[in-house]
Amino acid sequence: MRRSEALYQPSYRDIVDELSQPVAVFDNYFNLIYANLQFNEHVSRKPTSLFELLPNTANIDTQQIQQTLLIDGRWQSHVESQTQSGQSLYLTLTSLNSDGRQRYVATFEFSLLVTAPNLSFIHQKDPLTSLPNRYSFLERLRQRIVSAEQDPNFAILYFDIDHFKDINELYGHEAGDQLLNACAEKIRDMLRKSDVLARLSGDEFAAMVEYGEDHEMPYLCHRLMRSFERPVSVGRQTFQVSISIGIAFYPDQGTTEQQLLINAERAMFAAKKSGRAQFQLFDRKLSLKNEAQQRMVESLRFSLQYEPEQFSAAYQPLYNLQTGEFKGVEVLSRWCSPELGQVAPDKFIALAEARGLINLHSARMFALIERDVLSWCHGNEHYSPVIAVNVSVQQIDDQAFQSLILTLNEKVKAANWQLELEVIESQLMTLTDRVIEQFTQWREVGIRIAIDDFGTGYSCLAYLHQLPIDKLKIDRQFLKTKTQSRKEDQIIYAILSMANALNIEVLAEGIESDEQRERLQQLGCQTGQGFGLAKPQPWHKRLMAALPAL
């Protein structure tokens, strides 16, 4: 029995229900799949996903959580929902992966300020470094905010040790713990005695620093960077490490303890994205962008769950470029939100993937496809036109998605169409045996496999040879250039020759003019699509008309 399945068997559930701590289990999209009795008794409103528990200011996506889990082994956050008695909660999330099934287990702790009035967070210490822990730091920060009317000049610095996970894995946890202590001492030595330094989790630290002038914070960060340029000695080992730092000022960049800490953390992530070993000030424009993204996520979730009619399907015809014959359609999603207007697919599809909503979106699109395809069965018995749908790589090994796709396949086959699944090339860089196995299983039931945006990732003969695929879709960038040398034509010809040797069909995307169509005909490309041939449009019989001759 799989470990993740065993957790939900009665005997295991009884054990977890007896725990004094609230416990919840989330699937790989962070949707709630199980909560013990303590959770149900104490949490004031039961969520459907992890994100409903987080503060509104915490614009965190799955990539950030998974990155922290990969580095630290756990991810922690304040919980927006209080208990029935008004207590605050903090959660610690850990990852559980058994037999390829990803699960996330959350345990919850009560605020000691409420449950034990005689015990202050100030006395809560991190057992490894003896620094204040996250809860103690948040309480000190809350108290500092209360006194800010008299003395408002302070900032939060958020530290992360770059590539700490690599050192931990190579030299072991004992060496890693010693390195954490040494780094904490380095940081502590650069701060005033009145400044508060805390270890938040893993290799992340935060400091509450007083200042007189704004320029003091960048100066302090430069000094910290220079300090870490010197090797760190741990026993007989010497490590060359660096840190990334984020800065958030009170009150301009946060007026509550959660806002300040989250904004400092965002600035730290910006420093890491920019190359690590540097510091970044919190960027209000980035914050506004994140807040707008969060509003879009909330609207997307609501629309998919309660008003799916906001989503429609547009169909773009595919043609044989040599004969003009209709070959099929690609299904494209459209979202018209009453609140946001017409939202571009490249914006909301990525959010649906990041926030665990992609299956809800697929279910809606598949329902539209079934309705439209069944309204007009293709009558040509000599061939079945293709109906191509886009699939996220995270759905390939998802059991709920398997059920959706197999049902759709049966429906379109009954109408004499052939289902084709498109996966973006760049998403296949982590090619696994499970992906190959799933592609093979889909092909066995008559589903075609296409690689989308081919040529934009790390195109490799090795994975083309391994993958059981039927079609390559050449990215539109190879058609845009109008240079005399036509290097792009040579690339297209090379792709066509390679695909022909492997018995793989090639389709050119983004055809916008007769000149591009003629170029592709001369190069021997068989299939194409684009606005220059036909725009995406609602379902109707005229979709199946042949392409006019040049």
Side-chain angles (χ1 to χ4, degrees):
M1 181 182 296
R2 292 178 176 177
R3 184 181 174 192
S4 54
E5 292 174 345
L7 181 61
Y8 313 110
Q9 299 303 314
S11 60
Y12 287 86
R13 180 174 296 193
D14 292 343
I15 293 171
V16 177
D17 281 343
E18 288 298 318
L19 295 176
S20 59
Q21 274 186 302
V23 176
V25 181
F26 301 89
D27 65 14
N28 57 323
Y29 296 118
F30 295 97
N31 296 314
L32 181 70
I33 55 178
Y34 169 70
N36 72 346
L37 294 177
Q38 288 290 333
F39 182 93
N40 293 325
E41 288 176 6
H42 286 92
V43 176
S44 58
R45 56 183 180 88
K46 189 173 181 180
T48 59
S49 78
L50 172 69
F51 298 102
E52 293 176 24
L53 288 170
L54 304 181
N56 291 332
T57 54
N59 298 321
I60 309 293
D61 61 25
T62 57
Q63 187 175 6
Q64 286 176 286
I65 295 174
Q66 289 165 342
Q67 181 183 30
T68 303
L69 284 168
L70 186 64
I71 296 172
D72 297 342
R74 62 178 180 171
W75 182 83
Q76 294 178 308
S77 173
H78 169 71
V79 175
E80 181 73 6
S81 177
Q82 292 185 327
T83 65
Q84 306 282 6
S85 58
Q87 295 169 286
S88 295
L89 285 171
Y90 294 85
L91 72 83
T92 298
L93 194 72
T94 55
S95 178
L96 174 67
N97 194 319
S98 179
D99 293 338
R101 289 195 172 192
Q102 183 68 57
R103 297 290 182 262
Y104 299 98
V105 180
T107 55
F108 298 80
E109 297 180 54
F110 300 106
S111 165
L112 295 177
L113 285 178
V114 179
T115 59
N118 62 330
L119 183 61
S120 170
F121 275 140
I122 294 175
H123 298 111
Q124 291 290 301
K125 299 290 186 182
D126 171 57
L128 177 64
T129 62
S130 295
L131 293 172
N133 64 13
R134 174 185 288 269
Y135 312 131
S136 176
F137 182 76
L138 286 170
E139 174 56 19
R140 293 185 186 215
L141 180 53
R142 186 188 68 80
Q143 293 174 358
R144 179 65 182 85
I145 292 170
V146 170
S147 65
E149 286 188 14
Q150 292 77 31
D151 184 13
N153 292 346
F154 74 93
I156 300 301
L157 304 186
Y158 202 109
F159 307 91
D160 182 271
I161 302 173
D162 299 327
H163 303 296
F164 174 75
K165 178 178 177 289
D166 297 337
I167 295 173
N168 217 20
E169 289 183 349
L170 183 59
Y171 295 97
H173 290 285
E174 184 177 351
D177 289 347
Q178 291 175 350
L179 177 60
L180 286 174
N181 264 314
C183 291
E185 290 177 10
K186 260 185 179 288
I187 298 172
R188 178 73 265 178
D189 289 344
M190 302 300 294
L191 303 177
R192 303 184 189 98
K193 288 185 178 180
S194 58
D195 298 331
V196 179
L197 177 66
R199 183 186 176 214
L200 303 181
S201 67
D203 63 335
E204 294 184 357
F205 298 83
M208 182 168 54
V209 181
E210 308 290 332
Y211 68 93
E213 302 292 338
D214 288 355
H215 70 268
E216 292 179 22
M217 287 301 103
Y219 175 70
L220 172 60
C221 289
H222 279 299
R223 290 179 61 217
L224 282 160
M225 294 294 170
R226 287 198 301 271
S227 172
F228 274 85
E229 288 175 1
R230 296 188 293 273
V232 179
S233 296
V234 175
R236 296 182 179 180
Q237 295 284 348
T238 300
F239 299 101
Q240 188 69 60
V241 296
S242 61
I243 55 172
S244 298
I245 308 174
I247 309 173
F249 288 92
Y250 176 88
D252 294 344
Q253 296 163 351
T255 56
T256 69
E257 62 270 30
Q258 287 295 330
Q259 286 177 348
L260 281 167
L261 196 61
I262 288 168
N263 289 341
E265 184 181 22
R266 286 178 183 154
M268 182 274 293
F269 275 120
K272 294 184 84 67
K273 286 182 179 179
S274 297
R276 296 181 169 86
Q278 58 185 280
F279 68 91
Q280 290 280 349
L281 300 175
F282 172 69
D283 186 344
R284 175 61 64 184
K285 291 182 180 179
L286 179 62
S287 177
L288 292 174
K289 180 181 177 182
N290 289 337
E291 289 171 11
Q293 186 182 72
Q294 178 65 18
R295 287 194 294 271
M296 183 180 290
V297 168
E298 292 168 359
S299 180
L300 178 63
R301 186 185 300 276
F302 179 85
S303 301
L304 286 170
Q305 290 179 335
Y306 304 109
E307 296 181 1
E309 62 276 8
Q310 293 181 18
F311 295 84
S312 60
Y315 300 87
Q316 186 170 38
L318 317 176
Y319 297 102
N320 184 314
L321 296 177
Q322 306 298 327
T323 66
E325 180 186 12
F326 170 79
K327 297 293 291 183
V329 292
E330 179 182 359
V331 187
L332 303 170
S333 180
R334 298 290 184 262
W335 179 26
C336 186
S337 166
E339 177 187 1
L340 304 171
Q342 195 75 36
V343 185
D346 60 346
K347 290 184 178 179
F348 72 82
I349 295 295
L351 284 180
E353 292 176 350
R355 297 303 180 93
L357 300 171
I358 193 64
N359 276 356
L360 275 176
H361 174 264
S362 293
R364 168 59 178 168
M365 297 309 298
F366 292 177
L368 293 172
I369 293 169
E370 291 172 12
R371 179 200 67 187
D372 293 337
V373 167
L374 292 177
S375 70
W376 191 80
C377 296
H378 192 266
N380 192 328
E381 62 182 20
H382 299 295
Y383 83 100
S384 299
V386 164
I387 187 154
V389 299
N390 293 279
V391 173
S392 169
V393 72
Q394 65 186 248
Q395 294 178 294
I396 292 175
D397 196 30
D398 186 291
Q399 293 304 310
F401 180 74
Q402 299 305 317
S403 177
L404 287 173
I405 206 67
L406 292 176
T407 300
L408 176 65
N409 185 46
E410 290 302 316
K411 296 287 181 65
V412 300
K413 278 203 302 187
N416 198 31
W417 289 75
Q418 186 168 29
L419 182 61
E420 183 174 273
L421 303 183
E422 296 185 5
V423 183
I424 296 175
E425 180 195 26
S426 58
Q427 293 186 333
L428 289 173
M429 291 305 100
T430 54
L431 185 61
T432 65
D433 291 340
R434 180 67 189 120
V435 171
I436 296 173
E437 179 185 348
Q438 186 58 69
F439 281 3
T440 302
Q441 290 176 2
W442 281 338
R443 293 183 84 203
E444 287 173 352
V445 295
I447 300 174
R448 288 168 53 90
I449 307 296
I451 304 301
D452 201 4
D453 295 343
F454 184 77
T456 59
Y458 298 96
S459 305
C460 174
L461 282 173
Y463 87 74
L464 283 183
H465 174 69
Q466 294 177 47
L467 278 177
I469 58 176
D470 302 280
K471 180 187 289 184
L472 297 178
K473 300 187 70 174
I474 302 177
D475 188 72
R476 65 187 69 240
Q477 69 178 3
F478 296 111
L479 292 179
K480 288 184 177 179
T481 307
K482 294 184 178 181
T483 60
Q484 295 297 319
S485 62
R486 290 279 170 83
K487 291 182 180 178
E488 288 73 19
D489 286 2
Q490 296 172 24
I491 294 173
I492 292 173
Y493 184 77
I495 294 173
L496 289 167
S497 300
M498 176 184 63
N500 184 59
L502 296 172
N503 196 29
I504 298 173
E505 180 186 351
V506 175
L507 179 145
E509 295 184 281
I511 302 173
E512 298 177 356
S513 67
D514 289 344
E515 184 268 341
Q516 291 175 341
R517 178 181 168 187
E518 187 174 359
R519 280 170 58 193
L520 290 165
Q521 284 180 334
Q522 293 172 356
L523 289 167
C525 184
Q526 290 293 321
T527 318
Q529 69 181 105
F531 277 51
L533 305 181
K535 295 180 180 179
Q537 52 202 282
W539 182 268
H540 53 77
K541 292 183 181 180
R542 292 189 302 279
L543 278 170
M544 280 63 95
L547 191 64
L550 284 172

